[in-house]
Amino acid sequence: MDFVLNYLNANTIGVLSLILFCLFLYHPFKFARGKKEAPTVAGAWPILGHLPLLNGSHIPHRALGDLADKYGPIFTIKLGVKKALVISNWEIAKECFTTNDIFVSSRPKLVAVEYMGYNQAMLGFAPYGPYWRELRKVATLEILSNRRVEQLQDVRVSEVQHSIKDLFNVWCSKKNESGYALVELKQWFYHLTFNMVLQMVVGKRYFSATTVDDQEMAQRCVKAVKEFMRLIGVFTVGDAIPFLRRFDFGGHEKAMKETGKELDNILGEWLEEHRQNRSLGESIDRDFMDVMISLLDGKTIQGIDADTIIKSTVLVCSKL
């Protein structure tokens, strides 16, 4: 009987030792000396995580600030089923983006980016890797370089002159007996900026246009851009709880699909028009889209075709 008990005890000790050894191999950082994990905020709901905390009376950054006062400058929360690290200290943030920058250089794949950012082909939302590095090189050296900006100086000067002329025409047609005219300067600056950006990016000037087609295209562009800027900041249910994505609560995913399709149609029309102009022997490299066509037409980067790269990059430049 004693022999049997000793045998069972020896087996039990052996199995427990094996389990502990396997746990050490699988999670070595748990046993590392001096290593600590960031505290996790208490009160996470099943499935939803800490999302209810961010939906209270305080706006999200205020709510996170209150949590930082309680848990310290670095802590974790659960956004649905996904874990997020929150940092509220500039020294830790500096270390993240210098010493440990490679670990935080990537970007999450959000629903909005999938439908409106060409499935992470857009430079601003592409994951860190060979594709992002190659596209950043193209954008830095060929599109947003000082040389290219200086080459487009005439465009900026011309647009300011056009806008001042339009403002003068408004004054001439609407001035009262005292010589004054009421002008909505917010809209005036908006049109100036929009025309200036489009001229540099795709060689278009829609506001103050004389043709009906250009006026309709201007409204299409403005509407699509506004929807893009609104929806890109929407945190959908599918981003936090992927298995609920199919239900599309709030209809955000449907709106993202429609906006992404509309933007792709507009960019596709511009791209086809540029290619037609180039085939007719017109001046090339006059705007960003021309430059992208010269650099990438017919090529691929990490399996992504030239048209997708050109359209996604032009869309980024249009938002700058």
Side-chain angles (χ1 to χ4, degrees):
M1 188 67 179
D2 293 337
F3 173 78
V4 174
L5 291 175
N6 291 334
Y7 178 76
L8 291 175
N9 289 335
N11 283 344
T12 302
I13 293 173
V15 170
L16 290 176
S17 300
L18 181 61
I19 292 173
L20 291 174
F21 180 71
C22 291
L23 288 174
F24 176 79
L25 291 178
Y26 189 70
H27 293 293
F29 56 87
K30 297 284 187 180
F31 301 88
R33 182 177 298 177
K35 296 290 184 179
K36 293 183 179 180
E37 288 190 353
T40 301
V41 175
W45 289 32
I47 301 178
L48 296 179
H50 295 96
L51 288 176
L53 295 178
L54 303 178
N55 196 34
S57 57
H58 292 302
I59 52 182
H61 73 274
R62 294 288 187 185
L64 293 175
D66 293 339
L67 291 174
D69 293 337
K70 182 177 180 180
Y71 290 94
I74 180 170
F75 58 90
T76 60
I77 60 174
K78 292 191 69 176
L79 301 177
V81 298
K82 298 181 180 180
K83 200 172 184 180
L85 182 69
V86 181
I87 296 173
S88 59
N89 178 277
W90 72 269
E91 294 176 335
I92 300 176
K94 180 181 178 181
E95 183 178 349
C96 286
F97 289 101
T98 53
T99 307
N100 300 303
D101 60 326
I102 194 169
F103 298 104
V104 295
S105 294
S106 193
R107 298 159 182 82
K109 186 176 182 180
L110 304 177
V111 175
V113 176
E114 178 181 343
Y115 289 119
M116 300 189 299
Y118 291 92
N119 199 18
Q120 290 190 297
M122 186 183 293
L123 176 62
F125 301 104
Y128 179 78
Y131 172 78
W132 181 83
R133 290 194 295 269
E134 186 66 26
L135 201 57
R136 182 188 63 173
K137 185 190 302 181
V138 172
T140 303
L141 298 179
E142 300 293 342
I143 299 178
L144 302 177
S145 64
N146 291 333
R147 175 178 58 86
R148 188 69 61 185
V149 173
E150 290 176 0
Q151 287 178 349
L152 295 171
Q153 181 179 358
D154 292 342
V155 173
R156 298 190 294 275
V157 173
S158 175
E159 281 306 315
V160 172
Q161 291 175 345
H162 274 294
S163 295
I164 292 176
K165 183 178 179 180
D166 292 339
L167 190 61
F168 176 75
N169 292 334
V170 170
W171 175 78
C172 289
S173 60
K174 295 184 177 181
K175 63 180 178 178
N176 54 26
E177 296 178 355
S178 302
Y180 295 99
L182 185 63
V183 178
E184 179 58 62
L185 286 180
K186 180 179 179 180
Q187 184 180 26
W188 182 77
F189 280 114
Y190 179 81
H191 290 178
L192 169 62
T193 305
F194 197 85
N195 277 335
M196 189 178 297
V197 171
L198 283 186
Q199 277 279 38
M200 293 188 291
V201 174
V202 292
K204 295 289 184 181
R205 187 176 191 273
Y206 284 133
F207 287 107
S208 300
T210 56
T211 64
V212 176
D213 290 340
D214 283 347
Q215 292 174 1
E216 291 179 353
M217 178 59 80
Q219 298 304 318
R220 282 182 62 194
C221 291
V222 170
K223 182 179 178 180
V225 169
K226 285 184 176 180
E227 275 297 284
F228 177 89
M229 299 303 294
R230 182 182 71 85
L231 292 171
I232 203 66
V234 172
F235 190 72
T236 66
V237 174
D239 291 324
I241 312 171
F243 58 84
L244 293 180
R245 178 176 172 180
R246 67 186 67 180
F247 299 105
D248 189 21
F249 296 108
H252 299 303
E253 190 165 340
K254 179 181 178 182
M256 291 172 182
K257 288 181 182 179
E258 294 174 352
T259 302
K261 184 177 180 181
E262 177 66 7
L263 285 170
D264 185 65
N265 290 336
I266 294 173
L267 292 165
E269 293 175 13
W270 290 341
L271 182 58
E272 183 61 27
E273 182 179 343
H274 276 68
R275 286 199 172 114
Q276 290 179 358
N277 292 337
R278 293 169 69 88
S279 66
L280 295 175
E282 295 188 12
S283 59
I284 60 176
D285 294 355
R286 61 182 181 180
D287 52 53
F288 288 172
M289 182 168 276
D290 280 324
V291 175
M292 293 293 293
I293 294 174
S294 299
L295 292 172
L296 301 172
D297 212 9
K299 300 179 182 178
T300 61
I301 299 178
Q302 297 296 315
I304 301 178
D305 63 276
D307 284 8
T308 300
I309 298 173
I310 293 171
K311 289 187 288 187
S312 63
T313 306
V314 167
L315 185 57
V316 171
C317 294
S318 300
K319 305 297 181 295
L320 295 178

